[in-house]
Structures are given as structure tokens and as C-alpha cells.
Amino acid sequence: MIRRLPIIALLLCALVVGCTTGSETPAPAPSGSGADRPAGKRLKVGMLPKLVGIDYFNECQKGAQEAASELGIDLTYDGPSTDKVELQVQMIDEWIALGYDAIAVSPNDPEVIAPALKRARDAGIVVLTWDADANPTSSGRQVFVNQCPVADVGSRLVDLMADAIGGKGKTVIVTGSATSPNQNAWMQAMRAHLKEKYPQIELLETLVPDENQNRARQMTLDLLTAEPELAGVWGITSVALPGVAEAVKQAGKTGKVFVTGLSLPSTVKGYVKDGTIPRFVLWSPKDLGYLTIHAAKALADQQLDPGTRDFGRLKEIRITSDEVILGPPFVFDADNIDQFSF
Amino acid sequence: MNVALLRRVAREAFPWLLLAFAMWMVLARLPKISSLLPLWRPWAEIGVLALGMTAVILSGGIDLSVGSMVTLSGAVLGYLWQVTGLPLGVAASAAVLTGTVAGGLNGLAISWGMSPLVTTLASMALYSGLAMALLEQSRITGFPPAFLALGNGSFAGLPSQVVLLMTAAATLAVLVHATRFGRYLFSLGDQRKSAEFAGVPVPQVERALYALNGFLAGLVALWFTARRGAAVADAGQGLELQVIACVVLGGTRVTGGWGSIARTLLGLGILAHLEIGLRLWGNQTLTLPGLGWTIPLNANARLILIGLLVIVVALLNERLAPRQRDST
């Protein structure tokens, strides 16, 4: 064995080198109507999710690819395999070196991403954020493609709960991790809306299961025991909501404790069908990806002016001075959930 | 043909072939070579940590807490500057001192006979916990431009981190390969008991060694924080894995006693350019000749390839390394 090792080593080298020579042929160009741009002048766009390999960002990718083939854009949709901002920073610097025309990022940290986005701007690259925003001042990003204004998400979640429990009772929020910017902003909006419209709804201390579904289930189970009067629970991440629903189901409180929140239809479909989660809220991640690529193109062409306009199949999209807004959140229930594949 | 010679050639040539391959991957995609320089910044920081780790591993030890020491030093820097209002120079010195003390505490526990693995596994949690307590899960930003230039500036055309790496490499090469302290490290890694009998002042050497590693982590924290423009409580999480991978890929024996600073620089070059290169080929598919298999080079494939590579190299090093200590 030892005698053969050098030969194995050389063979491995040969294999590795052999592999990549095969990849020198460029990837097939996405089909679509890129006719208005001469060949070789297609817009090169890099789109960076918080991480790859989860349902939510896979859906965003589908929409982005749809828009890219409509517009004849060379799209790279790539990201880190864990939600590490440091890897996002490195990838942005690599995309600057590759000479991308536009970069769209969903940052894991609004501050640490900022210097990298600034470097991209200084290199003359069009810079957008989507899904989550970066610090607008220090990053110099031009536009944030906002899936849904924070206040709309907050008030819709609260209204759903208030309607179901009759405007009074004990409730609790189950979030992701303590630092997640989206969730913290939504909770702030929820508290404000509760205080203003439903002072009789009592909010218990928020449960923080750190984006762990099993822990969300366990913490909810414990609370259901400790607070038999609990009227409703919000699970406000795609991971927390199924955990909450499983706990309520296990405790035999389906229909007695109202469960709602934010998640993906595919993740919670079973609970919607059996009545544990009668209604929940989300935007279409596919449309978010689709809109982001359209916005990147419009920005690169310097045609993104404040007002209202259509982007491909999305109609009447609102544009403010530094945001493109997808629209109000969508409410899913047992009647419409089968129409959605994500 | 002489088997021993063949083994030696394979052992020495394989890392260089890998480096050449990784460099080719990077340069084949980049429009101009100079655009590679800024991509070296984070890797040069990892490289400085890997130099210290090489010394630790040569002595038969390990330090899993380097990432946490970088985080803690960065947190101390941000806290003293923003919350306590100390001048940035003072805060920076305190940050380097924090790293040194943190490393020294590791060394103290190890010199009392605790295993390096257990000690630094514990302090990895401890130091990152302290950083979180200090920053209370917020982040410190708004550093002055002069400080940010430390992380994003250049010196003689080279990124500041690369200059730091070159200086640190020269210093550590002398320390490890040309001083009595360096010889102690090798004999410790060979056989701890016999080193003791041979009169090596083992506890003193261990304390100095881990304090040195902490000092380097504290130093790197300055560049790291300046480049990112923020001190965050989970900043250095996971750095230790890349740092150890550099040492292993270079061919330094993980159980100690054999290896060199130069090998770690080689390992750093391989890991850095492979990771950069694989990402630069991000949306391509790879076709295996003859088999017709296509592999998309996505994030998962990158992890798998890097993991396989570290295993293959570690295996080759293990099987091809000389049976007895020789002069690197």
C-alpha cells in the first residue's frame, strides 16, 4: 500500500486537473430575450442570499432566474452554506474582482457587510440589498428591495390574532435568535400596534429558541403547561412556527390556542390542514427574487425613479427614494395553501 | 527505483501541485492578476494565526480558542474605545494585551498538566462568552477612518494584512527554527517525557508558547476589526478550523514534532486559493471526463471538495512522513 501511494497521489492530481479542463467550456447561456444587448455585453449580476440550501432562499433563486432569463442577464446566485457575514464579505470582494455590473445582497449583518458594499460602489458596481437591509449610510447601497414594510407585517400579524381571540387574553411571541434584525423590527411593530389598538391583549415574555425547531417546540410546551390560560402564540420565523404548532398539537390544544405567524406554506401545510394554524402570513419569496433582478436591471439602466410602475409580471410596484416595495403581506389559509409550491 | 526517494518526491511535490492547481483556478477567472491582492486580506489574517498554531502543533498541542481570542480582543478594543472613551491607541494596546493574557491563561492550565484539547475547548467557550457579555449582543461601529485604513489600506502596494503576515512569518521562522525555544518545541512534540528528562523547562515553554499564540490573536484582532469596520460578539467564530486546516494542508504533523513555518505558508496558499478559486467558478458545472458526471460547483460541493482534500492530504502526510525525525 505504502509503495503505491505516490502513484495514487499522482493519479489524484491528474484526476483533479483533468476534471477542470472539462469545465472550461462555458456554462450554457440562459435562454431568453437578450436580443437588445449585443453578445458579450449582457449585464452580469451577482445575487447573494444569507445562505443557500434552505427552502426560502431556493424559492428566491427561482424567481431571480425567471427574471434573469426574461431580461437576458448573466445571473450568479450563490452564497455561503452557513449564515456567516464574513463569507458574504469575501464573496462580494471576489465578485468585485470578477467585474460584476451589479450585486444584490441579503446581509447577515447590516454593519459588517457595509465596508464591502462600499468597496463595490467605489468600483462602479450597482449595489442593492434585498430581504434584509444594510446600514444605508455606511454601505452606500442604492436601493433596498423590501419584501414588505415592517409596519404592515406587524399589524397584519396582530390583527389576525385579535380577530381570532376576541381582542383579549394572554399571548406570546416565539422568535428566532435575539439579534435577528427582521424579527426584532417586526416585534417592535407588533408591540406598537397592540398598545394602540388592543390594550386588553397581554404579551408574555418573548421565547427565543435560536432558530431551532425542536427548542421552539419544547419552550412552547413548557409555557402551555405554565400558562393554562394562554390564548394565542405567534411563531415569527419559518423555523419557529412549525415548532410552536407541533407543541400546541401535542398538548391537545388545537383550536383552543390560536397559532399564527410567518413561515413557508410547504413547511406548515400539515398544520394548516389540521386546523392548528388556521391562518399565517408571508410574502412570495419567488416574487422577491424576481423583483430584485428587475430592480437591479432598472438601476443599472438608470431607470429606477420614485413612483409606481410594473416590473414584468409584477404590477404596480411602489418605489420610494431608496426602496422598492414588493407589497402587503399575503395571508395563507386551508383554502388557498394548495396553490403554492414553495 | 528507490522507494524512499519516491515517497519523498511524492510528499514534497503533492502540495506544490495542489498550489499550482489552485492558483490556476483563480487566475483563469480573474480579468487581471492585481485584482487578486485585495482577496488576500482575510486569508493573510488567518495566515498569521496559522503561524502561531504551527508552533503550538509542533509542540504536540492544539489551540481551539484562537477564534474566540480574536473575538474577545476585538470586543475589548471596541468596548474600551466607545463605552469607556479611551483613546484608540490605548484601547488597541489593551486588546493585544487581552489576547496575550487569554493565551497565557491557556498556557498556565496546560503547564499544570491539563490536556491542550480540553483546556482550549473550554476557553473557546469562555472567551466568546466574555466577548458576548462585554458587547451585550450589540455591535460597536463608527471607528475613525485612520483606524479603518489599517484594515483596508496598502503598504508598498501590498494589502496591510499581507505585510503583517510577511513580518510575522519571518519572526516566527527565526523563533521556531533558529532558537533554543524552537528546539524545545520540537523535542516537546517528539516526546514530552524525554524532553523533561533532557532538561527542557516544559512549564515555562508551554506558558510562553500559548501566550505567544494569544498575542498573535490579539494582533490579528486589530486588522480583523478594522477591515470589517465593526466589533461583533461572534466575529471570530469558526476561524480555528481554517487555521488548523492551513497547518495540516502544509504537511506539519498534527501530533507534533515535525513540520515547519514554511509548510504552513504553503498550506495557507493552497487553502486560500482553493476556496477563492472554487467560489470564482461559482456558477459553473464541472464535467468529469469519461464518466459524463456533472457536478455544480455550489456551496455544498465546495465544502465536500475542501473536506475531501484535507483528508487526502492528511492521509498522504501520515503515510509518507519520515518514520523518524529529520530536519524538515
Side-chain angles (χ1 to χ4, degrees):
Chain A
M1 181 63 196
I2 290 174
R3 235 179 249 200
R4 286 198 208 117
L5 265 175
I7 299 158
I8 295 173
L10 289 176
L11 279 176
L12 263 171
C13 287
L15 182 69
V16 167
V17 174
C19 284
T20 43
T21 40
S23 73
E24 266 181 297
T25 45
S31 58
S33 57
D36 51 354
R37 274 169 189 272
K41 285 230 166 178
R42 292 160 64 97
L43 200 65
K44 258 169 77 178
V45 179
M47 190 163 166
L48 188 54
K50 284 183 181 167
L51 71 167
V52 293
I54 70 169
D55 289 347
Y56 178 81
F57 285 116
N58 289 344
E59 275 306 307
C60 294
Q61 180 175 15
K62 283 184 204 156
Q65 274 161 349
E66 182 191 343
S69 41
E70 273 177 26
L71 298 170
I73 285 173
D74 280 338
L75 171 69
T76 302
Y77 187 95
D78 199 1
S81 41
T82 53
D83 61 346
K84 282 262 183 300
V85 67
E86 178 62 30
L87 288 170
Q88 291 188 307
V89 168
Q90 292 181 21
M91 291 187 72
I92 290 170
D93 281 328
E94 285 154 14
W95 288 356
I96 296 172
L98 284 176
Y100 277 66
D101 300 307
I103 294 178
V105 186
S106 169
N108 283 308
D109 185 305
E111 298 293 342
V112 177
I113 204 78
L117 294 183
K118 192 74 184 34
R119 287 194 287 277
R121 285 288 286 138
D122 292 345
I125 296 169
V126 168
V127 175
L128 304 83
T129 51
W130 59 283
D131 180 64
D133 202 3
N135 180 329
T137 334
S138 54
S139 71
R141 62 103 178 111
Q142 288 149 290
V143 158
F144 169 43
V145 183
N146 189 344
Q147 57 270 48
C148 198
V150 165
D152 287 7
V153 176
S155 56
R156 186 62 68 96
L157 284 172
V158 168
D159 289 341
L160 280 178
M161 178 67 75
D163 285 351
I165 65 174
K168 59 174 193 286
K170 284 185 181 176
T171 58
V172 69
I173 302 173
V174 184
T175 185
S177 61
T179 52
S180 37
N182 294 10
Q183 276 74 19
N184 287 347
W186 292 329
M187 284 197 282
Q188 208 177 351
M190 288 168 75
R191 287 201 189 95
H193 193 66
L194 274 173
K195 203 171 158 190
E196 188 190 333
K197 280 192 73 180
Y198 310 104
Q200 281 181 292
I201 295 182
E202 185 191 342
L203 199 56
L204 301 173
E205 196 183 335
T206 301
L207 305 182
V208 187
D210 285 327
E211 286 289 51
N212 179 325
Q213 188 167 330
N214 195 39
R215 204 178 302 161
R217 183 188 59 85
Q218 192 56 51
M219 291 173 98
T220 310
L221 265 180
D222 292 347
L223 190 74
L224 286 168
T225 316
E227 296 279 352
E229 300 288 284
L230 197 67
V233 188
W234 287 281
I236 61 168
T237 83
S238 63
V239 173
L241 187 56
V244 168
E246 185 58 32
V248 169
K249 200 172 158 183
Q250 280 179 12
K253 299 212 167 176
T254 296
K256 292 181 195 116
V257 173
F258 184 77
V259 178
T260 189
L262 293 144
S263 194
L264 294 172
S266 59
T267 316
V268 294
K269 190 178 264 179
Y271 301 112
V272 172
K273 297 252 166 164
D274 72 13
T276 314
I277 307 175
R279 285 178 289 283
F280 71 97
V281 167
L282 197 72
W283 51 90
S284 159
K286 196 170 170 183
D287 288 351
L288 178 60
Y290 182 86
L291 179 60
T292 301
I293 293 302
H294 269 278
K297 172 81 160 64
L299 199 56
D301 295 344
Q302 298 183 321
Q303 285 171 351
L304 197 73
D305 302 317
T308 304
R309 60 169 277 193
D310 299 348
F311 288 100
R313 60 176 169 78
L314 297 176
K315 307 299 176 198
E316 293 187 27
I317 296 294
R318 194 152 57 89
I319 306 164
T320 69
S321 60
D322 74 335
E323 285 193 6
V324 177
I325 297 160
L326 181 58
F330 185 82
V331 178
F332 295 84
D333 58 29
D335 294 332
N336 67 21
I337 196 162
D338 283 329
Q339 300 163 20
F340 301 94
S341 58
F342 59 88
Chain B
M1 196 173 165
N2 186 335
V3 174
L5 183 69
L6 200 62
R7 277 173 53 179
R8 198 190 155 101
V9 168
R11 189 184 72 223
E12 300 301 331
F14 188 64
W16 287 101
L17 280 173
L18 270 178
L19 179 66
F21 169 64
M23 290 295 291
W24 170 82
M25 273 190 95
V26 171
L27 295 179
R29 292 283 289 167
L30 285 184
K32 51 183 197 289
I33 296 178
S34 63
S35 44
L36 177 57
L37 287 178
L39 305 185
W40 280 351
R41 289 184 191 276
W43 290 102
E45 293 162 5
I46 288 170
V48 175
L49 299 174
L51 298 173
M53 188 66 81
T54 309
V56 169
I57 287 180
L58 280 174
S59 82
I62 189 93
D63 189 344
L64 298 178
S65 70
V66 274
S68 294
M69 291 195 291
V70 171
T71 309
L72 180 60
S73 304
V76 166
L77 169 74
Y79 184 86
L80 290 183
W81 173 70
Q82 195 167 75
V83 182
T84 326
L86 288 176
L88 201 53
V90 178
S93 315
V96 178
L97 186 68
T98 303
T100 315
V101 171
L105 288 175
N106 282 338
L108 195 64
I110 291 161
S111 72
W112 288 340
M114 275 183 69
S115 111
L117 188 77
V118 175
T119 306
T120 59
L121 191 65
S123 62
M124 173 166 77
L126 173 68
Y127 297 152
S128 97
L130 284 175
M132 283 184 192
L134 209 55
L135 297 186
E136 285 169 347
Q137 298 187 320
S138 67
R139 46 178 73 66
I140 287 175
T141 55
F143 291 103
F147 177 68
L148 298 182
L150 180 71
N152 298 295
S154 294
F155 190 80
L158 290 171
S160 60
Q161 284 89 345
V162 175
V163 179
L164 174 72
L165 175 66
M166 285 161 55
T167 318
T171 315
L172 264 97
V174 170
L175 187 70
V176 169
H177 299 293
T179 65
R180 180 183 292 179
F181 179 76
R183 284 199 301 282
Y184 286 163
L185 296 183
F186 280 95
S187 55
L188 255 177
D190 253 357
Q191 257 295 338
R192 193 188 155 103
K193 271 274 171 285
S194 48
E196 267 172 30
F197 288 134
V200 175
V202 176
Q204 285 88 333
V205 170
E206 279 174 338
R207 278 173 230 155
L209 173 63
Y210 285 87
L212 169 72
N213 205 38
F215 167 78
L216 290 172
L219 206 59
V220 165
L222 304 185
W223 272 262
F224 188 74
T225 311
R227 175 171 61 84
R228 295 156 51 101
V232 191
D234 64 352
Q237 223 174 48
L239 275 179
E240 61 279 349
L241 298 179
Q242 283 170 312
V243 168
I244 294 170
C246 288
V247 181
V248 172
L249 277 175
T252 291
R253 193 193 278 158
V254 242
T255 47
W258 193 84
S260 74
I261 291 291
R263 283 178 176 278
T264 294
L265 290 177
L266 181 60
L268 171 70
I270 295 170
L271 188 67
H273 294 104
L274 264 182
E275 286 215 0
I276 295 172
L278 282 171
R279 284 199 296 255
L280 291 182
W281 287 82
N283 54 348
Q284 312 286 312
T285 49
L286 196 136
T287 312
L288 288 179
L291 295 169
W293 293 349
T294 56
I295 306 168
L297 283 178
N298 57 23
N300 301 337
R302 294 195 290 262
L303 278 183
I304 294 169
L305 281 173
I306 300 270
L308 281 178
L309 189 81
V310 174
I311 291 178
V312 168
V313 172
L315 188 74
L316 282 173
N317 287 336
E318 201 56 40
R319 303 310 299 252
L320 298 178
R323 287 284 167 267
Q324 273 149 7
R325 215 189 102 193
D326 64 10
S327 54
T328 36

